[in-house]
Amino acid sequence: MTEPNLSTSSHDRHPVTTTDSGIPAASDEYSLTVGPSGPTVLHDHYVVQKMQHFNRERVPERVVHAKGTGAHGFFEVTEDVTEFTKASFLAHIGKRTPVFARFSTVAGEQGFPDTVRDPRGFALKLYTDEGNYDLVGNNTPIFFVRDATKFQDFIHSQKRLPDTGLRSNDMQWDFWTLSPESAHQVAILMSDRGTPRSLRTMNGYGSHTFSWINAGGERFWVKYHFKTVQGVENFTDAEAKAMTAEDPDFHRRDLWESIAGGETPEWRLEMQVMPFEEAADYRFNPFDLTKVWPHADYPPITVGRLVLDRNPANFFAEVEQAGFSPANLVPGVGLSPDKMLMGRIFSYHDTHLHRIGANYEQLPINAPKVEVNSYNKDGQMTYRHAGSQPVYAPNSHGGPQADPLRAADLGWTVASGELGRYAYEKHAEDDDFGQAGSLYRDVMDDTAREHLVTNIVAHAGDRVADEVQLRVIAYWASVDPQLGARVAVGLGKANASSSADPSSAQAAELVAARANRA
Ligand code: NDP
């Protein structure tokens, strides 16, 4: 044997390498061979198993939100909201619930740069005393589409072309301009909020409308806003692009280093609360994910604070294997008739079953901190089991029994109707371009407007076909005529926003025909 003679003192300092079955390994350096130049033998099971495990190290990456990072912390209630919800994690001021947060980009793969223009995922798992509550939001209060059937198409348009394997701005603008409900979200994406300076300096939003129910059975529609206490800070387009070259892992590193250095990034949870009955006649359809509820209509109330104070001990075990699902609601919190939310209720759990496995909820990062008494059983990698507990319900052997009074609230009343494929019920001011227009005119200052224009022009000017560019101009002109004109100038098509030439008029007609107008 040519294994170096390790001194006792070296072994005193290090644990002994073992196989995964815990048996001491013979060497970290040398395979078993017949003489120094002889063949490697197959019965060196340690080396063989090392290769086999290495070949299986990756689980499929998330189809969306693949590149991310995360941290542990807690949520603390700072205001009494028991008049709105009976949720146990919100039961009294001062109550703390452990949290795991995962932040991510949307379109890029695992190794993609952190600072690209993209929405950011903002997913929280609250380990409440009534089971896990997952709030799987983004850093924007709205989304690109409002019906789950368009989600896969939208994501495909953000990913890569089937032939070249390249991302394509042409494909993105083609989809967006043919889906004008995207205008509000694209306006935010193209603003400097599309390139956050750090994960600590962006807000998080539940985005969907959810319901809360109080102990008396009264229901409310609600929206979650996590406002960064660090203040919103963004990169300019140029700064973000420079950072993709300088440090593709900049956001991951920044979050890790700030927490390791003793900082505790914090967000203030503010809620918008709408009385249940007001939804029917509200000026916007309150369940349409492409719209916000203006603050003046439903002023946000402070509820609590989210604090992140501990880095993961292991990236794969915690960040990669974390599985969030909007279906994980707790008593006192329910869904709403948001069609995107209903699609996500199925899709998230399903993707984790595929990605991590049938028992992904048994992994420590996903396991609730309360007793689990489920009738689901067995499957690959079963770890938690119920011993000899009955495997069916109902049973006469003392097995668990559901409790409708304690269960999460999933329902609301719906008017009966014909089964069919419908657009959302239209409310008085529903318009695909209106809220994007108020963002541009009323919220942004001159610098933000200038950056919006230059960001759009840079993006839509990069390998986007002429006919799509004409639609881009029509799309932004529908948001605001001045914005359309500025984009047209930037794209070198100054006459296009006037619809003077036939192809511009045709592009404008196409965008208008596909849009929802008030
Ligand atoms: P307000 O003037 O009350 O609120 C405007 C909000 O816009 C701010 O509070 C801030 O949200 C957000 N904001 C500021 N700059 C930007 C930007 N560059 N990109 C995206 N959001 C920005 O107005 P309204 O509530 O009447 O809403 C007007 C418009 O503001 C909406 O059409 C929407 O585009 C945008 N907005 C509204 C939000 C809402 O929930 N009402 C939330 C976010 C944006 P924040 O405080 O969350 O940072």
Side-chain angles (χ1 to χ4, degrees), residues 141 184 191 193 203 205 225 227 292-295 435 439 443:
H184 193 193
S191 81
R193 287 199 179 196
N203 293 335
Y205 302 85
H225 304 248
K227 305 296 262 306
V292 296
W293 301 350
H295 292 136
Q435 290 198 352
L439 177 66
V443 176

Side-chain angles (χ1 to χ4, degrees), residues 74-403:
F74 61 88
F75 176 77
E76 182 182 42
V77 181
T78 57
E79 302 293 330
D80 182 6
V81 284
T82 51
E83 67 175 296
F84 302 120
T85 178
K86 62 180 180 186
S88 170
F89 78 99
L90 295 169
H92 59 83
I93 293 174
K95 183 160 186 175
R96 283 189 177 189
T97 298
V99 170
F100 182 69
R102 183 176 185 273
F103 306 104
S104 51
T105 51
V106 174
E109 299 84 3
Q110 279 274 16
F112 220 67
D114 283 345
T115 53
V116 289
R117 183 171 302 285
D118 209 5
R120 299 299 186 285
F122 193 105
L124 304 177
K125 188 178 286 294
L126 286 85
Y127 303 91
T128 89
D129 49 21
E130 290 192 302
N132 286 354
Y133 177 31
D134 292 355
L135 248 170
V136 198
N138 277 336
N139 70 334
T140 72
I142 50 165
F143 197 61
F144 299 86
V145 291
R146 57 167 76 96
D147 191 305
T149 193
K150 292 186 80 167
F151 180 80
Q152 296 72 24
D153 300 298
F154 161 64
I155 291 297
H156 285 168
S157 78
Q158 302 295 298
K159 292 274 188 181
R160 293 173 185 276
L161 286 166
D163 49 357
T164 60
L166 292 167
R167 290 192 76 191
S168 157
N169 292 3
D170 183 77
M171 174 162 68
Q172 294 180 27
W173 286 106
D174 189 37
F175 178 87
W176 288 331
T177 56
L178 293 174
S179 306
E181 71 269 31
S182 63
H184 193 193
Q185 174 68 89
V186 179
I188 294 180
L189 177 66
M190 291 293 149
S191 81
D192 285 344
R193 287 199 179 196
T195 49
R197 179 171 289 274
S198 78
L199 301 168
R200 298 174 293 128
T201 56
M202 64 184 200
N203 293 335
Y205 302 85
S207 304
H208 302 283
T209 297
F210 293 90
S211 53
W212 272 4
I213 185 165
N214 68 17
E218 202 181 352
R219 286 169 189 274
F220 304 87
W221 302 114
V222 297
K223 279 190 181 287
Y224 291 76
H225 304 248
F226 288 89
K227 305 296 262 306
T228 169
V229 170
Q230 292 69 238
V232 172
E233 280 181 44
N234 303 309
F235 278 134
T236 62
D237 195 51
E239 288 169 337
K241 282 174 176 154
M243 189 54 82
T244 64
E246 191 179 321
D247 183 358
D249 295 322
F250 178 71
H251 282 170
R252 189 181 278 182
R253 193 184 318 280
D254 172 85
L255 185 68
W256 175 278
E257 287 181 351
S258 67
I259 293 174
E263 283 179 50
T264 52
E266 184 168 332
W267 287 260
R268 191 176 54 258
L269 172 60
E270 296 180 0
M271 300 293 299
Q272 287 182 291
V273 182
M274 177 188 286
F276 197 75
E277 300 69 31
E278 289 184 17
D281 297 322
Y282 183 49
R283 59 196 180 112
F284 302 105
N285 186 321
F287 310 115
D288 175 353
L289 186 56
T290 69
K291 305 276 190 313
V292 296
W293 301 350
H295 292 136
D297 294 353
Y298 295 99
I301 56 167
T302 299
V303 172
R305 62 190 194 115
L306 167 72
V307 177
L308 299 181
D309 58 5
R310 180 163 58 91
N311 280 319
N314 182 276
F315 187 87
F316 183 84
E318 293 163 60
V319 180
E320 203 48 26
Q321 293 199 124
F324 299 86
S325 168
N328 286 342
L329 302 166
V330 287
V333 182
L335 302 173
S336 81
D338 175 336
K339 295 178 191 180
M340 279 297 296
L341 178 57
M342 285 187 255
R344 295 179 75 209
I345 295 300
F346 165 78
S347 197
Y348 279 64
H349 181 64
D350 184 61
T351 201
H352 302 312
L353 294 177
H354 158 71
R355 194 174 68 83
I356 327 176
N359 286 306
Y360 78 95
E361 288 171 292
Q362 296 189 12
L363 294 169
I365 192 66
N366 299 320
K369 300 194 189 304
V370 295
E371 196 175 304
V372 175
N373 285 313
S374 160
Y375 282 100
N376 292 334
K377 64 190 279 284
D378 301 353
Q380 276 195 342
M381 312 300 279
T382 297
Y383 173 71
R384 184 192 67 219
H385 63 80
S388 62
Q389 188 174 283
V391 291
Y392 57 92
N395 64 75
S396 55
H397 300 285
Q401 290 183 358
D403 179 356

